[in-house]
Amino acid sequence: MDKSDILQFIGTYIIPLVSAAVGWIAGSRKRRNDFLKDLQASIDLLSSENRRLLADITAVNAEIVAVRKENEELKASVDRLCSENSQLQEEVRQLREQIKRP
């Protein structure tokens, strides 16, 4: 083999093989970095969505507490009105009896 054959072999096979290996190594690092950036972006998105949902849940829980309190107050009011209604019914019954007695 003479010198030109060796140079042709290096130019044809060795240089493309070395540059492909270097490109693959550099590309794999970039792919890993891009993958990590994508994962971090997904984590950030999920974290912000989680914060929003947690704020919504907290607001809804506060509203539920207020509605339960109002419900208890309304139940107490209904019980009081039922008691007053019973008393008034008894008074009406007594008054009807008095009217019938003349």
Side-chain angles (χ1 to χ4, degrees):
M1 266 205 247
D2 89 12
K3 200 174 192 181
S4 67
D5 289 338
I6 294 174
L7 288 176
Q8 185 179 3
F9 177 77
I10 290 173
T12 304
Y13 299 107
I14 302 297
I15 291 177
L17 184 64
V18 169
S19 50
V22 169
W24 182 81
I25 292 170
S28 67
R29 176 176 287 172
K30 183 179 181 331
R31 283 190 302 275
R32 273 185 271 139
N33 286 342
D34 289 347
F35 178 70
L36 290 175
K37 286 179 185 176
D38 289 345
L39 283 178
Q40 186 62 47
S42 295
I43 290 170
D44 292 342
L45 178 66
L46 289 172
S47 178
S48 66
E49 182 68 13
N50 189 35
R51 275 192 298 275
R52 187 189 65 79
L53 290 174
L54 187 59
D56 289 348
I57 288 171
T58 303
V60 168
N61 281 342
E63 188 175 334
I64 287 172
V65 168
V67 167
R68 284 184 178 170
K69 182 180 177 185
E70 183 180 355
N71 190 26
E72 288 299 319
E73 290 171 356
L74 289 172
K75 282 181 181 179
S77 179
V78 166
D79 289 343
R80 183 178 46 80
L81 289 173
C82 285
S83 175
E84 287 178 13
N85 190 25
S86 293
Q87 289 175 355
L88 289 173
Q89 284 177 343
E90 180 60 28
E91 286 179 24
V92 166
R93 188 189 61 76
Q94 289 173 359
L95 288 172
R96 284 188 178 153
E97 284 179 8
Q98 287 178 0
I99 292 174
K100 286 182 183 178
R101 284 191 221 159

